Amino acid sequence: MTTPVSRRVKSIKHIIIVCSGKGGVGKSSVATQLALSLHASSPNLHIGLLDVDLTGPSLPRMLGLDGHGIHQSSDGWVPVYADAHGQDVPRLACMSIGFLLKNRGDSVVWRGPKKNAMIRQFLSDVRWGELDYLIIDTPPGTSDEHLSLLEHLAPVHSRLSAVIVTTPQAVALLDAMKCLSFTRAVGLPVLGLIENMSGYVCPCCGEVSNVFSMGGGEEMAKREGLPFLGRMPLDPELVTLLDAAEPPGETGGGQEQSSDKAFEVIEKYRKTTSAKLFAPIVDKVVDTIGPIQQVHKAMVF
């Protein structure tokens, strides 16, 4: 069945839903790193990053895009490009409700139907163009936003897959199991599991130390038959980079300064310890996504 959403996303090769059963495990930072690392892995890849955490949008801040607005074209909403100020054709498109808020601190107090309509509009009205990967950052848990995504993307279900993010602690792993249960219930193939906040990167020498517990995510992946994509430590350099954007209006400069900041985030990220550690995770995602989606497509048809 052809729908406005299916017509819009027909030129997107792979859609990756980043999810977690619990808040505070670094899901948005993982989604951001996945987009940045894919962008850095090849000059030919075109990446989209969609933020459907409607009540807590954080991607504009992490990418240094705070203060940007959305422009309307004859073909729909134009996403904000994080690499618009580079010399090459922009390849990293971002869309978030954070771009639609009048004030950065405004709350979004919506019931399920309004959220559903907003997600449908993000998928059907945004001019995504041809993308190799669309990465979707979701809110914690398994709620309205997840169900709306799967409902609207049902015509392209064979292109969907998920990455589950957890921390090593037992409480987070319990909620990650609920997230895994959800993916199995709705037939969403899982590319693998990332154990985030596992260890600590020394800001002086770059050595990774096991300050907190580690290995819980890897053990869960082994037990549940999931690919283990890797573990990411706490990296003060990454935290500083993704949190360094100044709120709009504090320094002036408007959208032009925001675009400069976004391009600076992309360039600086490539030099971080986290970028080096995340590169093998991206390689596993790229190697896994094709075979998994082929198997899923065969099962569907």
Side-chain angles (χ1 to χ4, degrees):
M1 181 180 65
T2 302
T3 66
V5 171
S6 65
R7 286 193 295 269
R8 181 68 75 175
V9 303
K10 67 181 180 181
S11 56
I12 300 175
K13 295 178 182 177
H14 306 293
I15 301 173
I16 302 175
I17 300 172
V18 181
C19 54
S20 69
K22 190 172 185 63
V25 299
K27 174 180 45 56
S28 294
S29 66
V30 167
T32 301
Q33 288 183 84
L34 183 56
L36 292 174
S37 296
L38 282 168
H39 181 272
S41 67
S42 169
N44 300 317
L45 289 180
H46 288 75
I47 316 299
L49 188 55
L50 173 59
D51 186 357
V52 298
D53 191 348
L54 300 178
T55 58
S58 54
L59 295 186
R61 177 65 181 255
M62 287 184 172
L63 287 171
L65 293 172
D66 261 341
H68 263 279
I70 298 299
H71 299 287
Q72 181 77 32
S73 75
S74 59
D75 191 33
W77 286 348
V78 180
V80 178
Y81 286 89
D83 54 349
H85 276 208
Q87 296 180 349
D88 301 321
V89 176
R91 300 185 293 112
L92 181 52
C94 184
M95 178 56 72
S96 170
I97 196 172
F99 299 134
L100 303 175
L101 299 177
K102 290 183 178 179
N103 299 305
R104 182 171 170 270
D106 287 349
S107 61
V108 177
V109 187
W110 288 350
R111 294 186 183 274
K114 191 71 178 290
K115 292 180 179 180
N116 180 60
M118 186 78 261
I119 291 172
R120 182 178 63 247
Q121 197 164 5
F122 278 157
L123 294 171
S124 64
D125 290 2
V126 175
R127 196 181 68 186
W128 291 109
E130 293 188 3
L131 295 178
D132 295 284
Y133 297 92
L134 175 63
I135 298 156
I136 303 179
D137 181 31
T138 62
T142 51
S143 54
D144 288 332
E145 291 86 341
H146 302 80
L147 295 173
S148 294
L149 272 176
L150 293 173
E151 176 187 346
H152 296 310
L153 292 172
V156 292
H157 197 274
S158 62
R159 303 183 201 175
L160 303 184
S161 56
V163 169
I164 297 176
V165 182
T166 186
T167 57
Q169 291 76 29
V171 174
L173 291 169
L174 284 172
D175 289 325
M177 278 298 304
K178 296 173 184 175
C179 185
L180 176 60
S181 174
F182 170 80
T183 63
R184 289 170 172 169
V186 298
L188 179 63
V190 178
L191 296 176
L193 183 142
I194 295 175
E195 182 178 302
N196 200 28
M197 303 184 191
S198 181
Y200 173 78
V201 178
C202 175
C204 299
C205 66
E207 182 181 349
V208 179
S209 303
N210 181 20
V211 179
F212 311 107
S213 63
M214 64 185 298
E218 184 174 9
E219 180 60 33
M220 172 186 161
K222 188 183 302 182
R223 185 176 65 249
E224 296 298 324
L226 292 176
F228 180 65
L229 298 176
R231 57 173 58 91
M232 289 297 298
L234 287 165
D235 183 2
E237 186 180 14
L238 178 70
V239 172
T240 301
L241 177 64
L242 297 185
D243 202 38
E246 295 174 336
E250 287 192 3
T251 58
Q255 293 194 12
E256 183 176 351
Q257 185 188 49
S258 182
S259 295
D260 289 338
K261 171 63 185 174
F263 191 69
E264 182 182 319
V265 169
I266 293 173
E267 292 300 304
K268 287 186 174 181
Y269 172 74
R270 299 181 181 187
K271 302 174 184 177
T272 63
T273 300
S274 287
K276 298 179 180 67
L277 294 173
F278 207 89
I281 293 177
V282 166
D283 291 341
K284 290 179 182 178
V285 167
V286 172
D287 291 342
T288 305
I289 194 167
I292 279 188
Q293 291 188 352
Q294 285 297 326
V295 169
H296 182 60
K297 187 175 182 179
M299 292 174 64
V300 171
F301 294 102

